[in-house]
Amino acid sequence: MTPVVEIAWTHIVSKPKQTIVAMLGVTFGIGMFIALVSLMTGLNQFTEDVTMTSSPDIHIYHDITRERQSILEEMNPGGINVVHHQKPKAETPKLRNALQIVENIRKDPRVSGVAPTLSSQVFYNYGPVQLNGQILGVDILEEDKLFDIRSRLKSGKLEDLKSNPDGILVGTGLARKLNAATGDRVVITTPEGYTMTLKILGTFQMGIGAVDNVRAYANIATVQTILQQDQTYITDINIKVHDRQKAKAIAPEYEALFHYKAEDWETANATFLTGVTIRNIITWSVSVTLLIVAGFGIYNILTMTIYNKMKDIAILKAMGFAGTDVRMIFMFQSLVIGFAGGLMGLIIGYLLSWLISKAPFEGGDIVSLDHFPVNFDPMYYVIGIVFGVLTTAFAGYTPSRKASRVDPIEIIRGQ
Amino acid sequence: MEPVLQTRKISKYFYEPEKFQVLKQIDLTVNRGEFLCLMGKSGCGKSTLMYVLSTMDTDYEGELEIAGENLKGKSQNYLSAFRNKHIGFIFQFHYLLPEFTALQNVMLPALKLGRYSRAEIESRAYDKLKILGVADQALKISSKLSGGQQQRVAIARALINDPDIIMGDEPTGNLDSYNSNLVFDILQELTHTYRQTIIAVTHDEDFANRSDRVVEMSDGRIIRGDNGNASPPHLV
Ligand SMILES: Nc1ncnc2c1ncn2[C@@H]1O[C@H](COP(=O)(O)OP(=O)(O)OP(=O)(O)O)[C@@H](O)[C@H]1O
Ligand SMILES: [Mg+2]
């Protein structure tokens, strides 16, 4: 031990109360930071996961409400044309050459999966009651590549659907509403009046009420039959790309290439993503505030210590300790306080997070959750301790510098 | 005779509350092994001179040479290291670090110097405490010692790095007559036995009369006892 460390250490242990109070400031700050960040990022990740399961990286569809050129403008180009309350043309949502498009996209090396789908509004008949819902015609194995349906199955098998032309997989919420289980039959009616009896081959749970309460998967051909359309009738193409962050750049390419609307997940979930940003801002600003408060605590205690130790500092300097030695003594003290307080903070933070993750939480119909989702990413513990030590280093810097500049003569003469 | 400390025309001013010259062209030579007492009326500038000699005060005009080294214009860090090695300081108020034991207090300057191993430093510290007759107090927390014991520990601390000079600003000023006699005897023994150079400020006539040389100051000048290589005050 160098004398500098020895002196600093003696200061720390000879005033245990003061040291502990300073440490508790850091402990509290970091503990809360860990708990807050773990919960918030846990929630964010959960919502993100859930949202992403229902939204593809890129979604290609025929946007029939899209602004179009009016006839007047076609007839009188460049003139002053005013068209009030223009309505969309009667167009089907069908994607022309959908299968050709799918083949083309499949060749794109950035793409890891393409699933053509079509969907229809349907009524599920439950005795005399009709439940509003949606039926998706998919190649279930392709769809599985995009949305990992297999792991979300509560009963049944994907392969059963593949081989069964009048089978469906229904959301758990929908099954509950229909009071139906795997093996039961349900009758569906389309808005056009077409009726069909389908067999439930399995149930799935995506985790969001908006999906689980209304959605059923069937084979593409089945839905084409329900809609009384031909085998080329496809309304949507869902695409998964290797790097999700590139989706935003790829979507416009496809839009230009195929002349259909191509929407990336970021655009589709813009509202949700602002929610994440706001939660992050709150989390980080509260954490930083806590740490700053802890920093002020250390600053005060260190300033007080130095004030009380003026005489000691003068003696040290008279004995030949340099200003830098004196500064190191007090910096060492604040860093030890920061590090020890920070470590305790990590433990407290972990315990708090653990308690939160065990607290029951009723997600209701909206999300399927029974406990708070908590993120135990070790990254945040690293950030926590680094933050804690940095804060104390900052807090200790000014008082330590002041100590290093004490003029011993003034102190000795002052006696 | 080998001079260990030499000043050439040291002057110093204070500017608060108004400009005023505390030290006026001080020329002083101190030889190795000498026990020198600095006397003078209160306010004549003794402490101020001691702080300049101790290298803690660098705001002066003139030259200061200790152990053959000219210290004018050296950096603070350099002077710290120099003090650590060459100068032992004894304060009027027995300034020990209150949370440390007597032994630790004595060891600190040596640990800072780093010339010996910790074990060697410890045994040397014990030796010094023995010379001062306080070896039995070594492991006590220093704030638990009596005033006289504390001052003796402080002297042991000043000795630990075998400094060229020990400086004391009224080292017995805060002690009763028994203890100041004791401290004086110790200082005298140090010069006689170990040829230790000592410069001490004192108001005590008896103390001064028993030293090797008395230098008297008045109004920022040395008026008596400087050993001749300076101009007599009436010629300045
Ligand atoms: N920091 C300062 N600023 C201004 N004037 C000072 C300062 N320190 C000391 N003085 C003045 O300088 C003069 C010399 O002071 P110094 O402390 O050296 O006297 P001294 O001889 O040690 O006196 P004493 O015997 O009372 O200790 C005094 O007049 C004092 O008022
Ligand atoms: Mg004085």
Side-chain angles (χ1 to χ4, degrees):
Chain A
M1 253 202 303
T2 70
V4 163
V5 172
E6 200 170 326
I7 294 165
W9 186 251
T10 309
H11 286 173
I12 289 171
V13 295
S14 64
K15 285 251 165 49
K17 254 193 224 155
Q18 217 176 52
T19 309
I20 286 171
V21 168
M23 260 166 56
L24 282 183
V26 185
T27 302
F28 180 75
I30 302 218
M32 288 310 288
F33 163 77
I34 295 285
L36 207 66
V37 157
S38 304
L39 177 61
M40 286 301 195
T41 55
L43 277 173
N44 278 349
Q45 211 167 57
F46 176 81
T47 14
E48 190 178 319
D49 283 354
V50 158
T51 314
M52 289 314 158
T53 56
S54 62
S55 105
D57 294 349
I58 299 174
H59 176 203
I60 297 182
Y61 63 102
H62 185 180
D63 188 3
I64 51 179
T65 60
R66 190 149 42 163
E67 285 245 339
R68 65 191 162 84
Q69 233 187 4
S70 68
I71 295 176
L72 187 60
E73 266 158 357
E74 273 170 35
M75 300 305 293
N76 183 19
I80 301 170
N81 306 310
V82 180
V83 179
H84 280 290
H85 195 38
Q86 192 191 15
K87 293 174 189 65
K89 262 204 298 211
E91 282 179 290
T92 67
K94 173 176 169 165
L95 299 174
R96 274 173 230 284
N97 293 326
L99 298 176
Q100 189 58 48
I101 295 176
V102 168
E103 283 318 307
N104 283 350
I105 294 175
R106 242 189 250 289
K107 283 183 200 133
D108 191 329
R110 295 170 296 183
V111 167
S112 62
V114 188
T117 48
L118 73 164
S119 70
S120 171
Q121 292 289 317
V122 290
F123 298 109
Y124 297 98
N125 298 320
Y126 177 43
V129 184
Q130 289 194 317
L131 295 175
N132 204 348
Q134 178 201 33
I135 189 161
L136 252 60
V138 297
D139 178 337
I140 196 69
L141 297 180
E142 285 293 341
E143 193 79 0
D144 178 48
K145 277 190 211 154
L146 267 64
F147 299 115
D148 192 20
I149 297 184
R150 197 184 294 278
S151 75
R152 296 166 203 277
L153 275 185
K154 294 285 159 186
S155 59
K157 283 210 302 269
L158 293 185
E159 286 71 19
D160 292 347
L161 180 68
K162 187 88 180 156
S163 59
N164 203 326
D166 62 351
I168 51 170
L169 302 173
V170 298
T172 46
L174 182 58
R176 198 173 57 242
K177 283 188 184 176
L178 292 170
N179 197 18
T182 307
D184 292 346
R185 288 177 180 277
V186 289
V187 178
I188 57 116
T189 312
T190 66
E192 281 78 30
Y194 187 86
T195 300
M196 191 172 179
T197 304
L198 296 168
K199 189 176 173 195
I200 298 177
L201 299 173
T203 54
F204 62 86
Q205 185 176 39
M206 295 294 195
I208 338 172
V211 171
D212 293 336
N213 292 343
V214 297
R215 184 179 290 177
Y217 285 112
N219 284 309
I220 292 178
T222 316
V223 181
Q224 281 165 344
T225 314
I226 293 172
L227 290 174
Q228 295 169 283
Q229 298 283 355
D230 61 87
Q231 286 177 8
T232 60
Y233 188 80
I234 294 290
T235 58
D236 304 89
I237 298 174
N238 292 333
I239 302 166
K240 186 183 175 73
V241 293
H242 289 292
D243 179 2
R244 183 190 267 171
Q245 303 307 324
K246 296 229 173 81
K248 198 168 185 154
I250 301 175
E253 281 180 37
Y254 288 164
E255 192 162 319
L257 205 58
F258 306 122
H259 306 293
Y260 285 118
K261 175 88 177 162
E263 192 178 52
D264 61 280
W265 63 274
E266 272 182 72
T267 314
N269 297 299
T271 32
F272 155 74
L273 289 171
T274 11
V276 169
T277 316
I278 289 172
R279 267 199 295 270
N280 281 339
I281 291 174
I282 293 175
T283 309
W284 288 100
S285 51
V286 169
S287 309
V288 166
T289 311
L290 285 171
L291 285 172
I292 288 177
V293 171
F296 271 112
I298 292 192
Y299 176 87
N300 281 336
I301 286 183
L302 219 63
T303 309
M304 238 168 60
T305 310
I306 288 168
Y307 187 80
N308 292 333
K309 293 255 175 282
M310 281 298 187
K311 242 169 67 173
D312 296 33
I313 296 169
I315 307 170
L316 287 172
K317 287 198 155 182
M319 289 192 315
F321 283 80
T324 39
D325 295 324
V326 174
R327 178 194 303 204
M328 300 271 272
I329 289 174
F330 292 99
M331 274 314 276
F332 183 84
Q333 271 177 263
S334 58
L335 287 178
V336 166
I337 289 172
F339 192 71
L343 276 185
M344 279 191 349
L346 295 190
I347 295 170
I348 302 274
Y350 180 81
L351 289 179
L352 276 177
S353 312
W354 182 80
L355 280 178
I356 293 171
S357 76
K358 293 294 167 210
F361 173 78
E362 189 48 67
D365 256 2
I366 317 289
V367 284
S368 62
L369 256 188
D370 41 11
H371 291 109
F372 278 107
V374 173
N375 183 355
F376 286 97
D377 189 343
M379 189 59 202
Y380 295 116
Y381 293 75
V382 175
I383 293 178
I385 194 82
V386 169
F387 248 49
V389 172
L390 276 185
T391 315
T392 47
F394 270 118
Y397 179 76
T398 327
S400 304
R401 201 180 49 170
K402 216 162 95 193
S404 77
R405 291 185 179 169
V406 163
D407 180 0
I409 301 169
E410 248 170 68
I411 311 296
I412 295 165
R413 193 195 288 282
Q415 277 294 324
Chain B
M1 286 236 263
E2 176 200 2
V4 66
L5 180 148
Q6 231 173 345
T7 69
R8 273 185 291 279
K9 305 224 176 317
I10 283 189
S11 293
K12 179 173 172 66
Y13 298 85
F14 281 125
Y15 298 93
E16 297 285 329
E18 59 199 21
K19 184 169 172 178
F20 140 71
Q21 187 170 9
V22 235
L23 300 180
K24 297 167 183 161
Q25 312 259 333
I26 301 277
D27 281 316
L28 180 67
T29 304
V30 180
N31 295 314
R32 193 171 290 285
E34 203 170 21
F35 185 171
L36 185 148
C37 269
L38 197 56
M39 294 194 73
K41 281 207 217 60
S42 178
C44 67
K46 305 181 295 293
S47 295
T48 308
L49 178 60
M50 286 299 279
Y51 300 140
V52 170
L53 299 186
S54 76
T55 76
M56 283 192 275
D57 190 349
T58 52
D59 181 21
Y60 59 88
E61 290 165 8
E63 311 258 304
L64 170 65
E65 198 181 291
I66 296 178
E69 206 168 331
N70 191 340
L71 297 172
K72 180 69 190 166
K74 290 282 199 290
S75 76
Q76 287 296 340
N77 279 344
Y78 183 87
L79 291 174
S80 296
F82 186 86
R83 272 201 296 285
N84 185 234
K85 204 167 163 189
H86 297 281
I87 299 171
F89 212 90
I90 311 170
F91 307 91
Q92 176 176 2
F93 296 86
H94 26 75
Y95 272 141
L96 298 175
L97 299 183
E99 296 102 343
F100 290 82
T101 63
L103 182 68
Q104 284 175 309
N105 264 287
V106 176
M107 287 169 69
L108 270 177
L111 291 171
K112 167 68 189 157
L113 184 62
R115 191 192 288 152
Y116 300 104
S117 74
R118 181 171 281 267
E120 282 171 304
I121 290 171
E122 191 170 326
S123 89
R124 286 170 58 85
Y126 262 113
D127 291 346
K128 304 292 178 193
L129 285 170
K130 236 172 257 162
I131 296 174
L132 277 297
V134 280
D136 51 334
Q137 309 295 323
L139 298 179
K140 270 199 197 168
I141 294 292
S142 65
S143 56
K144 300 266 153 61
L145 300 177
S146 79
Q149 288 170 334
Q150 291 196 24
Q151 194 62 313
R152 280 183 274 162
V153 173
I155 297 171
R157 182 179 65 190
L159 289 172
I160 187 73
N161 284 344
D162 298 325
D164 289 298
I165 310 176
I166 286 193
M167 300 186 187
D169 190 357
E170 305 186 36
T172 59
N174 204 38
L175 299 175
D176 57 32
S177 61
Y178 169 78
N179 273 306
S180 39
N181 270 328
L182 198 67
V183 166
F184 184 82
D185 290 344
I186 289 164
L187 293 179
Q188 207 168 34
E189 187 196 325
L190 287 174
T191 35
H192 292 161
T193 318
Y194 302 96
R195 259 176 62 86
Q196 178 66 57
T197 315
I198 297 175
I199 308 176
V201 172
T202 185
H203 285 288
D204 186 337
E205 289 283 348
D206 294 341
F207 188 117
N209 289 335
R210 290 164 63 191
S211 68
D212 299 342
R213 174 150 74 107
V214 177
V215 171
E216 198 174 332
M217 278 181 76
S218 172
D219 195 18
R221 282 196 177 85
I222 292 177
I223 55 167
R224 181 166 71 88
D226 97 78
N227 47 355
N229 56 351
S231 336
H234 56 272
L235 292 182
V236 176

Short mmCIF file of all heavy atoms in Angstrom, two decimals, chain B residues 111-144:
data_model
loop_
_atom_site.label_atom_id
_atom_site.label_comp_id
_atom_site.label_asym_id
_atom_site.label_seq_id
_atom_site.Cartn_x
_atom_site.Cartn_y
_atom_site.Cartn_z
N LEU B 111 7.61 6.44 4.08
CA LEU B 111 6.87 5.69 3.06
C LEU B 111 6.75 6.53 1.79
O LEU B 111 6.84 6.02 0.68
CB LEU B 111 5.48 5.32 3.58
CG LEU B 111 5.46 4.28 4.70
CD1 LEU B 111 4.06 4.15 5.28
CD2 LEU B 111 5.94 2.93 4.18
N LYS B 112 6.54 7.82 2.01
CA LYS B 112 6.45 8.73 0.86
C LYS B 112 7.78 8.75 0.11
O LYS B 112 7.81 8.68 -1.11
CB LYS B 112 6.07 10.14 1.35
CG LYS B 112 6.23 11.25 0.34
CD LYS B 112 5.23 11.13 -0.79
CE LYS B 112 5.55 12.13 -1.91
NZ LYS B 112 4.99 11.70 -3.18
N LEU B 113 8.88 8.82 0.86
CA LEU B 113 10.20 8.88 0.22
C LEU B 113 10.51 7.56 -0.49
O LEU B 113 11.06 7.57 -1.58
CB LEU B 113 11.27 9.15 1.29
CG LEU B 113 12.69 9.34 0.78
CD1 LEU B 113 12.75 10.56 -0.14
CD2 LEU B 113 13.66 9.51 1.93
N GLY B 114 10.11 6.45 0.14
CA GLY B 114 10.25 5.16 -0.51
C GLY B 114 11.68 4.68 -0.66
O GLY B 114 11.99 3.92 -1.56
N ARG B 115 12.57 5.12 0.22
CA ARG B 115 13.96 4.70 0.09
C ARG B 115 14.18 3.32 0.68
O ARG B 115 15.00 2.54 0.19
CB ARG B 115 14.87 5.72 0.78
CG ARG B 115 16.34 5.52 0.48
CD ARG B 115 17.21 6.36 1.39
NE ARG B 115 17.16 7.79 1.08
CZ ARG B 115 17.37 8.75 2.00
NH1 ARG B 115 17.63 8.43 3.25
NH2 ARG B 115 17.32 10.01 1.66
N TYR B 116 13.41 3.01 1.72
CA TYR B 116 13.56 1.71 2.39
C TYR B 116 12.29 0.89 2.26
O TYR B 116 11.22 1.42 1.93
CB TYR B 116 13.86 1.92 3.88
CG TYR B 116 15.12 2.68 4.15
CD1 TYR B 116 15.06 4.01 4.54
CD2 TYR B 116 16.36 2.07 4.03
CE1 TYR B 116 16.22 4.73 4.80
CE2 TYR B 116 17.53 2.78 4.28
CZ TYR B 116 17.45 4.10 4.66
OH TYR B 116 18.60 4.79 4.91
N SER B 117 12.39 -0.39 2.54
CA SER B 117 11.21 -1.24 2.54
C SER B 117 10.36 -0.92 3.77
O SER B 117 10.83 -0.29 4.72
CB SER B 117 11.62 -2.72 2.59
OG SER B 117 12.06 -3.02 3.90
N ARG B 118 9.13 -1.37 3.73
CA ARG B 118 8.22 -1.07 4.83
C ARG B 118 8.75 -1.60 6.17
O ARG B 118 8.71 -0.91 7.19
CB ARG B 118 6.84 -1.68 4.53
CG ARG B 118 5.80 -1.41 5.59
CD ARG B 118 4.44 -1.87 5.10
NE ARG B 118 3.84 -0.91 4.20
CZ ARG B 118 3.00 0.06 4.59
NH1 ARG B 118 2.69 0.16 5.85
NH2 ARG B 118 2.50 0.88 3.73
N ALA B 119 9.33 -2.81 6.13
CA ALA B 119 9.84 -3.40 7.38
C ALA B 119 11.00 -2.56 7.92
O ALA B 119 11.08 -2.29 9.12
CB ALA B 119 10.28 -4.83 7.11
N GLU B 120 11.87 -2.14 7.01
CA GLU B 120 13.01 -1.31 7.44
C GLU B 120 12.51 0.01 8.01
O GLU B 120 13.01 0.47 9.05
CB GLU B 120 13.93 -1.03 6.25
CG GLU B 120 14.83 -2.20 5.90
CD GLU B 120 15.56 -1.97 4.59
OE1 GLU B 120 14.88 -1.72 3.56
OE2 GLU B 120 16.79 -2.02 4.58
N ILE B 121 11.53 0.58 7.33
CA ILE B 121 10.99 1.86 7.79
C ILE B 121 10.42 1.71 9.19
O ILE B 121 10.62 2.55 10.06
CB ILE B 121 9.92 2.37 6.80
CG1 ILE B 121 10.58 2.80 5.49
CG2 ILE B 121 9.14 3.53 7.41
CD1 ILE B 121 9.61 3.12 4.38
N GLU B 122 9.73 0.58 9.40
CA GLU B 122 9.12 0.38 10.70
C GLU B 122 10.19 0.30 11.79
O GLU B 122 10.06 0.91 12.86
CB GLU B 122 8.26 -0.88 10.68
CG GLU B 122 7.39 -1.00 11.92
CD GLU B 122 6.36 -2.11 11.80
OE1 GLU B 122 5.86 -2.34 10.67
OE2 GLU B 122 6.09 -2.75 12.81
N SER B 123 11.26 -0.44 11.51
CA SER B 123 12.28 -0.58 12.56
C SER B 123 13.00 0.75 12.78
O SER B 123 13.35 1.12 13.91
CB SER B 123 13.24 -1.72 12.23
OG SER B 123 14.30 -1.26 11.45
N ARG B 124 13.20 1.51 11.69
CA ARG B 124 13.81 2.84 11.84
C ARG B 124 12.90 3.76 12.65
O ARG B 124 13.37 4.53 13.49
CB ARG B 124 14.06 3.46 10.46
CG ARG B 124 15.24 2.83 9.71
CD ARG B 124 15.29 3.32 8.27
NE ARG B 124 15.40 4.79 8.23
CZ ARG B 124 16.54 5.45 8.32
NH1 ARG B 124 17.68 4.78 8.44
NH2 ARG B 124 16.57 6.75 8.29
N ALA B 125 11.58 3.67 12.39
CA ALA B 125 10.64 4.51 13.12
C ALA B 125 10.70 4.18 14.61
O ALA B 125 10.69 5.07 15.47
CB ALA B 125 9.23 4.31 12.57
N TYR B 126 10.81 2.88 14.91
CA TYR B 126 10.94 2.48 16.32
C TYR B 126 12.20 3.08 16.93
O TYR B 126 12.18 3.57 18.07
CB TYR B 126 10.96 0.96 16.44
CG TYR B 126 9.61 0.39 16.79
CD1 TYR B 126 8.91 -0.40 15.89
CD2 TYR B 126 9.04 0.63 18.05
CE1 TYR B 126 7.67 -0.91 16.20
CE2 TYR B 126 7.80 0.12 18.38
CZ TYR B 126 7.12 -0.65 17.45
OH TYR B 126 5.90 -1.14 17.77
N ASP B 127 13.31 3.05 16.15
CA ASP B 127 14.57 3.63 16.65
C ASP B 127 14.38 5.09 17.02
O ASP B 127 14.81 5.54 18.09
CB ASP B 127 15.67 3.51 15.58
CG ASP B 127 16.09 2.07 15.37
OD1 ASP B 127 15.74 1.23 16.23
OD2 ASP B 127 16.77 1.80 14.35
N LYS B 128 13.72 5.84 16.10
CA LYS B 128 13.53 7.28 16.35
C LYS B 128 12.66 7.48 17.59
O LYS B 128 12.94 8.34 18.43
CB LYS B 128 12.88 7.95 15.14
CG LYS B 128 13.63 7.77 13.83
CD LYS B 128 14.97 8.49 13.82
CE LYS B 128 15.69 8.22 12.49
NZ LYS B 128 17.09 8.62 12.49
N LEU B 129 11.60 6.68 17.68
CA LEU B 129 10.72 6.82 18.85
C LEU B 129 11.50 6.53 20.13
O LEU B 129 11.27 7.14 21.17
CB LEU B 129 9.51 5.89 18.72
CG LEU B 129 8.45 6.33 17.71
CD1 LEU B 129 7.42 5.23 17.47
CD2 LEU B 129 7.75 7.60 18.19
N LYS B 130 12.45 5.60 20.05
CA LYS B 130 13.27 5.25 21.21
C LYS B 130 14.14 6.43 21.61
O LYS B 130 14.24 6.78 22.79
CB LYS B 130 14.14 4.02 20.88
CG LYS B 130 13.94 2.86 21.86
CD LYS B 130 14.66 1.62 21.38
CE LYS B 130 13.70 0.62 20.75
NZ LYS B 130 14.36 -0.38 19.92
N ILE B 131 14.75 7.08 20.61
CA ILE B 131 15.59 8.25 20.89
C ILE B 131 14.76 9.30 21.64
O ILE B 131 15.22 9.94 22.57
CB ILE B 131 16.13 8.87 19.59
CG1 ILE B 131 17.06 7.89 18.87
CG2 ILE B 131 16.87 10.18 19.88
CD1 ILE B 131 17.53 8.38 17.52
N LEU B 132 13.50 9.45 21.23
CA LEU B 132 12.63 10.45 21.84
C LEU B 132 11.94 9.94 23.10
O LEU B 132 11.16 10.64 23.72
CB LEU B 132 11.56 10.88 20.83
CG LEU B 132 11.93 11.96 19.80
CD1 LEU B 132 12.24 13.27 20.50
CD2 LEU B 132 13.07 11.56 18.90
N GLY B 133 12.20 8.67 23.44
CA GLY B 133 11.66 8.12 24.67
C GLY B 133 10.16 7.87 24.64
O GLY B 133 9.49 7.87 25.67
N VAL B 134 9.62 7.65 23.46
CA VAL B 134 8.18 7.37 23.40
C VAL B 134 7.89 6.07 22.65
O VAL B 134 6.80 5.90 22.11
CB VAL B 134 7.40 8.54 22.73
CG1 VAL B 134 7.16 9.65 23.72
CG2 VAL B 134 8.13 9.05 21.50
N ALA B 135 8.88 5.16 22.63
CA ALA B 135 8.69 3.90 21.91
C ALA B 135 7.50 3.12 22.48
O ALA B 135 6.82 2.41 21.75
CB ALA B 135 9.96 3.07 21.97
N ASP B 136 7.26 3.27 23.78
CA ASP B 136 6.16 2.52 24.39
C ASP B 136 4.80 3.03 23.92
O ASP B 136 3.78 2.37 24.11
CB ASP B 136 6.26 2.58 25.91
CG ASP B 136 6.41 4.01 26.41
OD1 ASP B 136 6.93 4.85 25.63
OD2 ASP B 136 6.01 4.28 27.54
N GLN B 137 4.76 4.22 23.32
CA GLN B 137 3.49 4.78 22.86
C GLN B 137 3.24 4.47 21.38
O GLN B 137 2.24 4.92 20.82
CB GLN B 137 3.49 6.31 23.04
CG GLN B 137 3.88 6.79 24.41
CD GLN B 137 2.87 6.37 25.46
OE1 GLN B 137 1.67 6.35 25.19
NE2 GLN B 137 3.34 5.99 26.64
N ALA B 138 4.15 3.69 20.76
CA ALA B 138 4.15 3.55 19.30
C ALA B 138 2.79 3.16 18.73
O ALA B 138 2.38 3.67 17.69
CB ALA B 138 5.20 2.53 18.89
N LEU B 139 2.11 2.25 19.40
CA LEU B 139 0.90 1.71 18.78
C LEU B 139 -0.37 2.41 19.23
O LEU B 139 -1.47 1.99 18.89
CB LEU B 139 0.82 0.20 19.06
CG LEU B 139 2.01 -0.57 18.46
CD1 LEU B 139 1.92 -2.05 18.77
CD2 LEU B 139 2.11 -0.35 16.95
N LYS B 140 -0.19 3.51 19.98
CA LYS B 140 -1.38 4.26 20.39
C LYS B 140 -1.83 5.19 19.27
O LYS B 140 -1.00 5.74 18.54
CB LYS B 140 -1.07 5.10 21.64
CG LYS B 140 -1.34 4.38 22.93
CD LYS B 140 -1.45 5.41 24.05
CE LYS B 140 -1.29 4.73 25.41
NZ LYS B 140 -1.10 5.73 26.46
N ILE B 141 -3.13 5.37 19.18
CA ILE B 141 -3.65 6.39 18.25
C ILE B 141 -3.13 7.75 18.73
O ILE B 141 -3.18 8.05 19.93
CB ILE B 141 -5.19 6.37 18.27
CG1 ILE B 141 -5.71 5.05 17.69
CG2 ILE B 141 -5.77 7.55 17.52
CD1 ILE B 141 -5.45 4.89 16.21
N SER B 142 -2.62 8.55 17.81
CA SER B 142 -1.87 9.74 18.23
C SER B 142 -2.73 10.75 19.00
O SER B 142 -2.22 11.46 19.85
CB SER B 142 -1.22 10.40 17.02
OG SER B 142 -2.22 10.89 16.16
N SER B 143 -4.03 10.78 18.70
CA SER B 143 -4.87 11.74 19.41
C SER B 143 -5.04 11.37 20.88
O SER B 143 -5.52 12.18 21.68
CB SER B 143 -6.24 11.85 18.73
OG SER B 143 -6.84 10.58 18.65
N LYS B 144 -4.61 10.14 21.25
CA LYS B 144 -4.75 9.71 22.64
C LYS B 144 -3.50 10.00 23.47
O LYS B 144 -3.43 9.64 24.64
CB LYS B 144 -5.04 8.19 22.70
CG LYS B 144 -6.30 7.78 21.99
CD LYS B 144 -7.48 7.72 22.94
CE LYS B 144 -8.82 7.95 22.26
NZ LYS B 144 -9.14 6.98 21.24
#
